[in-house]
Every structure is written in structure tokens, then in C-alpha cells.
Amino acid sequence: MKGLTSKFKAVGALMTLALILSGCGEEFLSALRPQGQGASDILSLMILSIAVMMFVFVVVMVIYVFVILKFRQKKGQEDFIPEQVEGSHTLETLWTVVPIFLILILAVPTVQYTFSLVDTSPQVSAEGEEDQIWINVTGKQYWWHFEYDGMDVTTSQELYIPTDRRVFLSLHSEDVIHSFWVPTLQGKIDVNPTGNRNEIWIDAEKEGVYWGKCAEFCGPSHSLMDFKVVAVSPGEFEQWVKDMRNIDPEATPESEVAAAGQEVFANNCMSCHANGTSPNKIGPNVSNFGDRERIAGVLEYNKENLIEWIETKGKDMKPGNLMTSAAYDLSDEELEQVAEYLMSLSPSEITPENANDNEYIESDLSDLFVDEEKDESSQEKSEEESEEDSEEDSDSN
Amino acid sequence: MSATANKKAGFGSVLWDYLTTVDHKKIAILYLFGGFFFFILGGLEAMLVRIQLIQPDNNFVSAQFYNELMTMHGTTMIFLAAMPLLFALMNIAMPLQIGARDVAFPFVNALGFWLFLVGGIVVNISWFTGGAPDAGWTAYTPLSIFSESHGLDYYSIGLQIAGFGTLMGGINFLVTVITMRTPGMTMMRMPLFSWTTFIASVLILFAFPALTVGLFLLTFDRLFGANFFDPSMGGNVIIWEHLFWIFGHPEVYILILPAFGVFSEVISTFSKKRLFGYSSMVFATVLIAFLGFMVWAHHMFTVGLGPIANSIFAIATMAIAVPTGIKIFNWLFTMWGGTLRFNSPMLFALGFIPSFTIGGMTGVMLGAAAADFQYHDTYFVVAHFHYVIVGGTVFGIFAGLIYWWPKMFGKVLNETMNHWFFWLFFIGFHLTFFLQHFLGLMGMPRRYWVFLEGQGLDLFNLISTIGAFFMAAGTILFIYNMIWTALKAPQAPADPWDGRTLEWAIASPPPFYNFKQLPLVRGLDPLWIEKTEGNGKMQPAEPLGDVHMPNNSFIPFVMSVGLGIAGIGIIYQVDNPMWWIVAAIGFIIFFGSMAVRSLKDDLGYHIHKEDFEKEGDGSNG
């Protein structure tokens, strides 16, 4: 039973290790500091596997150190011939059978989580099936687009989700393979341009802005394809959705400069960049550009960066991005105006700031789902899409 | 003929001798220099990558150039450095260990080398012709289809040519092991390195065709308008991933098994003990190879294969830990009760055990499919495979090179310098890669040109870069040692390490015919048996007689160059059809030399019994 005690010791040591690990990295980015169910489940599996593996490692190292110290050739031993042992059935059986058991210990939760992490069927409680929030995620070189299924909301780069419930994602790519990864919330899943449309859920246990990354190599600006997940309380989320679906892209901004910018935007940018709910996703949707945390996902949010981006089309700020093929040519004044306009776009009172305050507004979001049933057109749209999904799913199977 | 090379010769005749040689020992030297050249090149690429990542938001290299660097680092290290260096070891040691005078097909052996070299050069020409491959060494479609420069064309054509060479080498080794063992050398008496060469060759035989097919489809997509991988034309990009990894995973075992073989030889020799659990070592090798074909999809857990497929591949992957664990414990118990000498090959073996154990541990962790959702495509994976490939394969290559250096060059490398080299490389390796496990979990995906400020990733990246400089310093020392040894070191004895296997029964370097009379093998570790039970010399298994030897040939070199020229023509015919002429010239050279080889009898020659007798005593030395 000596092995067992040392194993318990190893587990104890690992609890300490887990504590140390939790100091590793930033709260908004590190997989070792989970903020959602998915990442927590995975971390527990990691810790179990580290525990099992550390047990093996310690056994190996103890024998290793002992052997090196004990059996090194000593002076005067040059002619000594050690016994030529062929092997030992007992020992060899031991180190075949024990690892098999260790692997079984690891295999059971592995299989369990492998299924649960991608299980996107609705959770059933006493009140019946839950209403699911489905978001269609599109990955493009080098930005992300989000369409809230049945809610008539589209946005890019920053994904707003309510806390304390699962949000379901259906992902596909319009060019090369990307991978959607929010380390603090869930493991990653590939975003494929063909075949299967992958599905996964994410959830956040508390409010916050969590960083997302593209994890599948996708070209020169792969390392700059960041996005954010803005987790706000359910009530705030409900408010956000209502604000976002009621955007009037025609509304004239208050400041004159911004109003002039709106004109410039309409003449030069609108064919690719939509404001408000729109199927247009040639370039990122700018509906709530004024509330963004970052410009183009990575740059610090300020006017200088924005103007430089629009002027250079991000040529050096995000190498290889597809905006460089846009044909516009703006004067300095126009650049100033359009930047002012974009930064004035703040249709909702819910912004990333709400994710960082301590205000928590309750809601069961039932309003959002009631609307969905009323809203015939979006209902149809979602049906179409789910048909497409199931077709593709059966293909991939 | 080869005999003339043993005399002091001018540079021209040495060059000609190496261009035309079919001797496995000289081909080993060619593989060594070819592989080492690419190892340095890949190392330089790695250094540039690490310098770029020394601090956040660094602008040392551009995004495009970074992608070319990291793609070529991976491609070069796997295909053009690790593989040929292992082939160098297999070529020098395996025929000697099984008591053969050469490999089964000496001509094909030479052809294999020249194809590898030409393929490697073709891939690297892309640096000078408008951009190297930039889609990662895995060249995932459709990114590799959309890549605009000719880089990916060089990648697919170059690797195709090098791959032919590898495939030929593998088949050659298979036939050699099966048919050319000396009397008494049964399969279960073969040294472990010969066993792992044999098994790795089986893996090459079955794994490389998948790569060939994949590259073929990629070439057609890029150069001849096919749409196998273009999603907009109904192509399926996932097929490439499957083909690549059906090749790619066994490739990992092609790289590691021969290294296991080296360690088995080294640990046994420097512990003065026979290998503990020899038959279970053989069994474990076979089992690893077998399972190695059933786990490729663990590189694809996040692709969306579904939980059932993921679970099956997860468990299959974890199962590989069992035979690998058997090996680790067998090595430990080989040392147990022995008398250990810490010569530099042994140092690398001892450095390997903890390093590879960590690599194996993270391997099992990665195998847990659910957890892989976090690890996948992050620096955790980068750390893992460097622990396996550097801590396993590269340590094995260095151990093997130092161990068999006297058999290649007749000199023992300087031990003091090798000790320094080991410690620099070992410490540098752990400094570079250990913290990368944490970088990955802290949110740093792999293949990132820059990482942003304020993400808590700065310190570990800095330490990692510092470690890389230690490894570079160690490697430079090793190169210096090679030169120093060539110039200053005394002639090595036949058996400098108190060896146990047949290669130590003949002179260092061995005569070109290896064994005057084939030796009679009486058991495992045949030389050791003769040392402890006989007179310390191998007994002959045949009377002294004529020895049949192959003629040198220039044809393998010409054939390979022809194929290289044809490849370049094919790459550029998309720009201008006139390049078809170049391709045609290349193919004419290639098939022409093949025809010459096929139609003209080349029966080799005999070394006559009388010539041996003139040389002196009949011992196998």
C-alpha cells in the first residue's frame, strides 16, 4: 500500500500545485483561471491527469536518482563484471499492469467530458426545456462576426453574452480554418470553411470581459485575430439586445463632424460594413463601434489609431487583412469625420463597462424568446439555417 | 573503386568518390553532413523565431517572414534534419550490427540519399525565388491552397522528391534486415537499434504513401487546377488533415523509435549489462508502431469529429503510454546493478530519461480529448512535441553520433567538449521549452507572430529565448569539436567503449567490405559473449573466400538532379508554358539514367581471397 500513500501525498502536493497554477496568467485570458463551467471542467481533468502523471514521474525519478547514485562505477571497479540479468517477469508485469489501471482512471472522466463539453442539446429542468440562445459565429481573415439567431442582432469582434446560462454557438468560416478559443470560458473548437458546422456551448459564471483568440493558423495576422466576450448580467443582456435590434442606421448623430462622417461612411464604407442588423458581413459590422474595447480586435482604442487604420487600411497594423483591397481614398478631413462618426456609434447603454461594474440585474430573458416566436421573418431564417446545419451535419457523419 | 579512397587522395577524387559511392558507411557520412547542414539551417530559423518573441509587440521580423520562418523550421527539422540524421545512424550501424557487408540494395541506398538532398535543396530554393512556404509545416488546406507565392509549390514538390528517397531507404533497410543477417543472428538476437531500424522502416513503408498521396493532391490543386481541397468548389479541407496525420503520426514514431534503439545500445554498453527485458523491449517497439497507426486523429480533436471518434482516439492514444512506460522501466533496470560510466553518449541517454518522461506525461495529458480542447494549438503542444522530439530524437541522434563517430571517422570525439556540449544543450533545452507548457495554458496559441503587451506572457517568453541561446552555444561547440577531432584527435581503437555488438568487432573505421569473413553469432550481444566466454574475437561463420562488391555509380546523383530540374519546371509552368521544356529536360535526364541503369549490366566485382591473404591475419579486424 506504499504506492497508495505516496499517491495521496502526490495529490496533496497537487492541490498546492493547483493553487500555484491559479496564480499563472491573467484572469481574463488564462485557462488556469477558469471563469466558466467548460473551463472549470477541463481544469479539473487537467489536474487529475497531472496527479496521475506526477505519480509516474516521481516513481521514475526516484529509481533514476537511486540508480545513478548507487551504481556509478567506482575506482578499482573497472574490471568488475555485473550480473547479466535477462529480465524479471514479476517486475515487467507490474509496470505493464499498473499503467493500464492509471490510464483507466484517466479514461473515464476524459470520455465523460469529451461528450459533455460539446453537448448542445437543451437542458431540461422541472419547468421544461430551457430556451436556448444560439449565436452563429463566422470566422474571417482576421475578425469575427456574430449573429444572434432569432434575436435580430448582428455584431462583430465583441460577443455579448448573459452570465449564468449556457450560450450555444454554431461556427463556420468563410475562408480558411480558424479556431474559436476563449481560454477562461471553454476549450477551443475549429471553425471550418466546409463540411461540418461545429457547435459548442460557452458560459460565464461572473461578469467580465474575456479575451478570445484564433487558435488555428490562418495567415499573416493570425496572432492579431483577437476578440472579446463581454459577459453581462442577464438583465443587462436583455437591455443590450433590445437596444441593438432597434438601431436606426439613418439617425443623424448629434455632432456636426460625426454627421459629415456618416455621409462619408455611406459613400465609401457601407458596401462592406453594416451599421445595425444586416446580413452584410463582407467587413466587420460597426453597430456599436463606439463601445469597442479595441480597434480591429487588438489596437488600443483611440482616435489616432482609428484614423491611421482607415488611412492605411490596416496594411501594417494587421498584415494581409482584406480591407487593403478596398478602393476608397479619403482626405484628412474625411478621415477625421468618419472616425468621429464611428466612435459616436453607441446604440446601447450596455457597454463593456457594465461587465466590470458590480451591478447585477436579474432576468429570465423570457421576453427575448417571446419576441422570437412573434417575429415571423427571423423564425423562418433560423429554420432555414438549422436545416442547412442538419444537412451539413449528416454529411460530416 | 572504393578501395582507392582508403589511400590519401586529392580533393577532386574524394569528391568524386562521395558522388558515386554506394558504400553504406560513406552514405552514412553523406546523410550526416546533409542532415547536419539542414539542422543548422533549421536552428537558425528557430533562433530568429525566438528573437522575434523575446518581447511583446516585437517587430524584428515581418508577419509574412515569420510565417515562412516557422514553417521552414518545422519542415526542415522534421524532414530534412531529423530523418536524414537518423538515416545516417541506421546506415552506419545497422548493417554492421547484423553482420552484413552492405545494405541489400547499395545503388538504391545512394539514390535515396541524393533524392533527399535534392528534395531538401528544392524546398529551400524558395527562399531566393519570392518566398518560402508559409502555411505551417502541416500546410493545412485551404490556407496552403490560397497562399500566393510559389513557396507551397516548392514545399509539395520538394517533399515529394525527398519522400521518394525516404521510402526507398525504408524498403532497403527492411530487405537488409530480413535477408542479410549473418549466420546465427536470429531476429531475437538482433541488437535493439537494428530492431528499431527495422520497425521504423515498416512505419515508413506504410506511412509515407499517405504523405505522397496528400502532396500529390496538393500539387494538383495548386498547379493543375484540381479542386480537392477548395471548399468553394466542393472540395473538403478536412481530407488533407486526415492524410497529413495518417502520415504525420507514424512519422513521430519513425523519429523516436530509432532513438529508443540508440539509447538501448548506449545504456546497455555503459552499464556493462545486457538489456533488461530484451523481448519485452522488442514487443513494446512493435506495439508502439502498431498503435501509432491508430491515433492520428488526436491531432484533430478540435476539428469537430464528434465525441465518439474523439473518445476512441483518446483512449487509443493513452494506451501508447503503456509500451512506452515498459521501455522507460526496462532502461532503468538495465542500469540497476550495473556499473555506470558517464561517457557523453551515456549523458545524453541519462538526460533523455527525465526529459522524455515529461514529454510522455504531457502526451497522455494531450490524449485526454476534453482537456485537449484547451491544450490544442497552444504553446503547450509546442512544448510537448519539443520535449519528445528534442528530448527524445535529438538527444538520441547526438548520443548515437558520438557513440558511432569512431565507426564513421575512425576518431573519438573529444569527451570534455562533449560534456560541455551536453550541459549547455540540456539546460538550454529545459529553459527554452519547460515554461512554454505554462505559456500555452496562460493563453498563448502557437504560430503567433507577436503576442500583445499586458497578457502576462512577457517573462516566460524572455526566459524561453535565453534558453534557445544556450542550445545554440552548445551546437556551435559540437561543430567545433567535430573539426578539432578531425584535425587533432588520435586514431580510435576498434572498440573504444567496451562494446557488446558486432560493429565493435571490426576496425574503426571498418574496411570497405566490413567483414572479411561473416562472423558467427552465438547469442544476444555477440561480441560480449566472445569477450566473456571466448577469446574476445568473433569466430568466422564461413571460410575465407571471394567477396562480391557493388561498383560505384554516378547514376543516382544524375537521376536525382534530373528529378529536381523536372520539379522546378513543373512549378513554373503555371507562369509560362515554356517551363515545360525545363521539366521535359529534367524527366529525360531522370528516365534516361534509369534506362541506362536498367539496360546496362553492372555485375560488380570480387575481392579475391588472395588479396585478403596479402593483407595479413585472418581476424575480423
Side-chain angles (χ1 to χ4, degrees):
Chain A
M1 285 289 101
K2 199 181 163 197
L4 210 59
T5 17
S6 69
K7 194 171 162 190
F8 280 127
K9 273 181 198 162
V11 172
L14 263 137
M15 290 306 155
T16 331
L17 187 70
L19 276 176
I20 298 167
L21 284 183
S22 66
C24 248
E26 303 291 340
E27 200 180 10
F28 54 83
L29 184 63
S30 174
L32 299 169
R33 304 179 74 174
Q35 313 290 334
Q37 177 79 45
S40 305
D41 285 355
I42 294 179
L43 186 64
S44 65
L45 184 58
M46 281 182 196
I47 288 177
L48 175 70
S49 63
I50 294 174
V52 172
M53 289 298 121
M54 281 304 282
F55 166 68
V56 177
F57 187 70
V58 166
V59 171
V60 168
M61 287 315 286
V62 165
I63 300 174
Y64 175 84
V65 171
F66 176 78
V67 162
I68 288 181
L69 295 179
K70 176 90 195 287
F71 297 108
R72 58 190 314 159
Q73 180 176 290
K74 290 160 195 89
K75 276 207 179 113
Q77 252 195 342
E78 287 77 12
D79 295 327
F80 171 74
I81 293 181
E83 191 193 344
Q84 304 291 307
V85 186
E86 281 190 25
S88 153
H89 280 297
T90 326
L91 280 174
E92 286 170 56
T93 313
L94 184 72
W95 62 60
T96 309
V97 173
V98 173
I100 291 176
F101 276 106
L102 293 180
I103 281 168
L104 284 177
I105 292 175
L106 198 52
V108 173
T110 294
V111 172
Q112 192 187 338
Y113 286 136
T114 301
F115 277 82
S116 70
L117 286 176
V118 293
D119 178 12
T120 50
S121 56
Q123 288 180 315
V124 184
S125 64
E127 296 148 38
E129 263 188 18
E130 65 163 353
D131 291 313
Q132 288 183 300
I133 299 176
W134 274 96
I135 300 168
N136 291 316
V137 178
T138 309
K140 295 188 75 167
Q141 285 171 323
Y142 303 92
W143 56 280
W144 299 88
H145 188 69
F146 309 106
E147 294 159 301
Y148 290 70
D149 194 35
M151 290 186 193
D152 222 14
V153 171
T154 49
T155 183
S156 298
Q157 301 290 36
E158 283 168 18
L159 174 66
Y160 285 71
I161 61 167
T163 57
D164 303 305
R165 69 182 289 148
R166 288 187 179 183
V167 174
F168 297 85
L169 308 177
S170 163
L171 311 98
H172 88 123
S173 161
E174 292 203 343
D175 37 48
V176 300
I177 304 173
H178 303 282
S179 193
F180 181 95
W181 188 33
V182 190
T184 46
L185 301 184
Q186 212 347 342
K188 63 188 71 64
I189 190 85
D190 284 5
V191 182
N192 295 319
T194 179
N196 54 339
R197 198 182 168 103
N198 283 330
E199 292 178 351
I200 200 166
W201 54 264
I202 59 171
D203 74 327
E205 278 156 8
K206 62 176 183 134
E207 292 186 302
V209 178
Y210 304 110
W211 288 36
K213 300 268 177 191
C214 175
E216 180 61 62
F217 181 56
C218 60
S221 285
H222 166 54
S223 54
L224 303 174
M225 197 172 155
D226 279 22
F227 61 98
K228 305 280 178 288
V229 172
V230 182
V232 292
S233 62
E236 290 167 318
F237 177 75
E238 190 174 346
Q239 181 63 42
W240 182 80
V241 169
K242 285 178 176 162
D243 294 338
M244 286 295 282
R245 69 160 67 129
N246 291 326
I247 294 174
D248 176 13
E250 312 284 312
T252 317
E254 282 169 26
S255 104
E256 261 175 52
V257 187
Q262 187 179 27
E263 185 79 18
V264 179
F265 184 83
N267 294 335
N268 294 286
C269 318
M270 208 107 111
S271 54
C272 301
H273 296 281
N275 178 13
T277 304
S278 159
N280 182 352
K281 49 182 170 179
I282 299 169
N285 182 302
V286 296
S287 296
N288 54 352
F289 196 91
D291 301 330
R292 292 272 169 85
E293 287 267 286
R294 297 261 162 168
I295 291 171
V298 283
L299 303 165
E300 203 180 312
Y301 190 89
N302 58 44
K303 206 169 196 176
E304 292 76 53
N305 276 343
L306 181 56
I307 289 177
E308 191 187 337
W309 175 277
I310 300 170
E311 190 176 11
T312 62
K313 303 173 185 177
K315 195 165 161 289
D316 297 320
M317 300 165 113
K318 225 169 176 176
N321 89 79
L322 299 177
M323 188 154 159
T324 47
S325 59
Y328 66 84
D329 187 18
L330 301 181
S331 69
D332 284 354
E333 198 193 351
E334 286 170 318
L335 287 168
E336 173 77 25
Q337 289 166 343
V338 81
E340 181 74 28
Y341 168 66
L342 287 172
M343 291 177 81
S344 75
L345 294 175
S346 180
S348 172
E349 58 202 59
I350 306 299
T351 70
E353 271 172 36
N354 296 72
N356 293 322
D357 62 17
N358 287 323
E359 199 182 2
Y360 188 96
I361 304 173
E362 297 269 6
S363 164
D364 61 358
L365 302 184
S366 50
D367 279 4
L368 297 178
F369 297 106
V370 171
D371 278 2
E372 182 194 343
E373 272 149 39
K374 280 184 198 157
D375 191 341
E376 293 272 65
S377 66
S378 71
Q379 180 73 10
E380 262 171 40
K381 189 176 142 220
S382 75
E383 263 169 26
E384 254 171 49
E385 263 168 23
S386 64
E387 239 174 64
E388 210 176 285
D389 292 353
S390 57
E391 234 175 70
E392 274 162 359
D393 278 351
S394 57
D395 279 353
S396 67
N397 290 335
Chain B
M1 298 306 106
S2 321
T4 55
N6 289 349
K7 298 170 193 155
K8 286 278 173 196
F11 176 74
S13 66
V14 172
L15 181 69
W16 178 251
D17 186 47
Y18 275 93
L19 286 177
T20 58
T21 188
V22 294
D23 178 354
H24 73 100
K25 299 179 287 299
K26 286 186 178 147
I27 290 173
I29 292 172
L30 288 173
Y31 267 119
L32 168 64
F33 284 115
F36 212 82
F37 168 75
F38 286 117
F39 181 75
I40 303 294
L41 202 60
L44 285 175
E45 285 151 8
M47 292 311 291
L48 295 178
V49 164
R50 275 321 318 169
I51 293 172
Q52 165 66 16
L53 295 175
I54 197 167
Q55 60 180 25
D57 289 321
N58 204 3
N59 235 330
F60 177 69
V61 293
S62 73
Q64 175 62 28
F65 189 56
Y66 179 87
N67 289 350
E68 292 173 19
L69 283 174
M70 73 70 183
T71 301
M72 286 301 285
H73 167 67
T75 309
T76 304
M77 285 303 196
I78 299 280
F79 292 101
L80 309 177
M83 292 286 291
L85 286 171
L86 289 172
F87 268 43
L89 298 179
M90 294 173 178
N91 258 307
I92 190 67
M94 185 273 285
L96 298 179
Q97 284 192 330
I98 63 168
R101 292 208 171 91
D102 205 321
V103 292
F105 308 113
F107 178 91
V108 173
N109 201 13
L111 182 59
F113 167 75
W114 292 111
L115 284 173
F116 139 70
L117 189 67
V118 167
I121 289 171
V122 166
V123 179
N124 276 282
I125 287 176
S126 60
W127 284 114
F128 308 103
T129 56
D134 57 359
W137 84 281
T138 51
Y140 270 18
T141 55
L143 187 65
S144 54
I145 301 289
F146 298 154
S147 173
E148 277 161 14
S149 75
H150 274 300
L152 261 298
D153 303 324
Y154 279 100
Y155 169 94
S156 52
I157 298 279
L159 289 189
Q160 193 70 282
I161 295 174
F164 289 148
T166 309
L167 197 48
M168 282 176 202
I171 293 170
N172 204 350
F173 291 139
L174 276 182
V175 180
T176 307
V177 168
I178 292 173
T179 61
M180 297 191 59
R181 283 167 286 125
T182 195
M185 178 60 80
T186 61
M187 289 300 272
M188 289 310 279
R189 285 176 182 173
M190 265 202 314
L192 238 280
F193 180 73
S194 294
W195 254 113
T196 53
T197 299
F198 179 68
I199 299 295
S201 302
V202 175
L203 289 175
I204 289 174
L205 180 65
F206 289 105
F208 266 72
L211 178 70
T212 307
V213 169
L215 290 173
F216 189 78
L217 300 181
L218 184 64
T219 308
F220 268 70
D221 262 23
R222 288 189 55 92
L223 297 174
F224 300 107
N227 294 306
F228 297 109
F229 304 122
D230 185 350
S232 63
M233 303 298 284
N236 189 335
V237 298
I238 309 298
I239 302 268
W240 168 267
E241 292 184 33
H242 280 295
L243 283 171
F244 189 86
W245 289 118
I246 288 173
F247 149 75
H249 197 80
E251 168 71 14
V252 176
Y253 296 105
I254 296 169
L255 293 177
I256 197 61
L257 288 180
F260 284 174
V262 172
F263 293 126
S264 302
E265 304 294 316
V266 165
I267 290 175
S268 165
T269 301
F270 293 99
S271 307
K272 262 194 193 175
K273 269 186 69 195
R274 72 173 264 159
L275 193 65
F276 191 90
Y278 170 85
S279 4
S280 70
M281 286 297 252
V282 172
F283 167 75
T285 308
V286 176
L287 194 61
I288 290 174
F290 180 74
L291 289 173
F293 274 101
M294 335 220 143
V295 296
W296 80 88
H298 69 213
H299 298 268
M300 300 167 61
F301 280 149
T302 64
V303 164
L305 301 175
I308 296 174
N310 280 355
S311 300
I312 292 169
F313 280 101
I315 290 168
T317 302
M318 291 180 191
I320 294 190
V322 176
T324 315
I326 292 176
K327 278 180 168 281
I328 296 273
F329 284 108
N330 275 330
W331 286 317
L332 289 174
F333 278 80
T334 304
M335 294 192 278
W336 189 290
T339 53
L340 309 185
R341 289 171 293 154
F342 298 112
N343 297 66
S344 44
M346 186 63 167
L347 277 186
F348 276 97
L350 291 174
F352 152 83
I353 289 178
S355 310
F356 190 82
T357 306
I358 294 175
M361 285 163 56
T362 51
V364 176
M365 289 168 69
L366 280 160
D372 183 68
F373 276 35
Q374 288 286 27
Y375 307 130
H376 184 79
D377 262 339
T378 69
Y379 264 77
F380 187 89
V381 175
V382 175
H384 160 73
F385 67 68
H386 282 95
Y387 263 82
V388 177
I389 294 179
V390 180
T393 307
V394 176
F395 281 18
I397 287 170
F398 284 130
L401 285 179
I402 298 168
Y403 186 62
W404 284 307
W405 201 264
K407 287 296 148 197
M408 286 200 215
F409 298 100
K411 308 233 174 149
V412 179
L413 286 163
N414 182 294
E415 271 290 288
T416 318
M417 276 192 256
N418 275 341
H419 276 69
W420 278 96
F421 164 45
F422 168 76
W423 285 111
L424 280 171
F425 200 83
F426 181 78
I427 293 169
F429 160 69
H430 285 282
L431 266 184
T432 310
F433 296 110
F434 188 73
L435 292 173
Q436 289 186 0
H437 293 114
F438 297 93
L439 277 178
L441 294 173
M442 283 153 66
M444 183 160 168
R446 69 194 278 210
R447 294 170 169 175
Y448 261 32
W449 162 54
V450 288
F451 58 96
L452 305 177
E453 237 174 326
Q455 298 184 124
L457 306 173
D458 308 8
L459 178 65
F460 286 3
N461 270 304
L462 174 66
I463 295 173
S464 181
T465 303
I466 293 170
F469 279 97
F470 276 79
M471 293 169 83
T475 311
I476 291 168
L477 183 63
F478 185 65
I479 297 169
Y480 177 75
N481 194 357
M482 287 186 197
I483 299 165
W484 186 91
T485 304
L487 299 176
K488 301 255 176 86
Q491 188 67 26
D495 182 14
W497 312 116
D498 193 7
R500 310 168 68 85
T501 40
L502 282 180
E503 72 268 34
W504 308 109
I506 51 175
S508 305
F512 67 94
Y513 47 80
N514 293 354
F515 299 93
K516 205 173 281 181
Q517 292 162 288
L518 291 183
L520 179 69
V521 170
R522 298 199 286 158
L524 183 67
D525 292 344
L527 182 61
W528 181 258
I529 292 178
E530 300 303 332
K531 278 178 182 173
T532 50
E533 294 168 20
N535 63 357
K537 288 183 175 169
M538 294 308 299
Q539 299 307 307
E542 58 178 10
L544 195 60
D546 290 359
V547 170
H548 181 224
M549 297 300 291
N551 282 327
N552 280 6
S553 172
F554 192 43
I555 293 177
F557 180 81
V558 177
M559 267 177 90
S560 308
V561 171
L563 201 55
I565 294 172
I568 302 282
I570 300 260
I571 291 172
Y572 283 102
Q573 50 78 25
V574 279
D575 300 339
N576 184 342
M578 294 302 278
W579 281 92
W580 274 117
I581 298 170
V582 175
I585 293 171
F587 279 122
I588 289 168
I589 297 173
F590 178 72
F591 286 109
S593 2
M594 200 189 272
V596 171
R597 170 70 186 174
S598 309
L599 301 174
K600 195 170 141 260
D601 281 338
D602 180 0
L603 300 172
Y605 66 100
H606 284 85
I607 316 170
H608 297 290
K609 196 162 100 175
E610 300 76 42
D611 298 333
F612 282 130
E613 278 162 358
K614 252 182 271 166
E615 276 178 37
D617 78 313
S619 79
N620 272 301

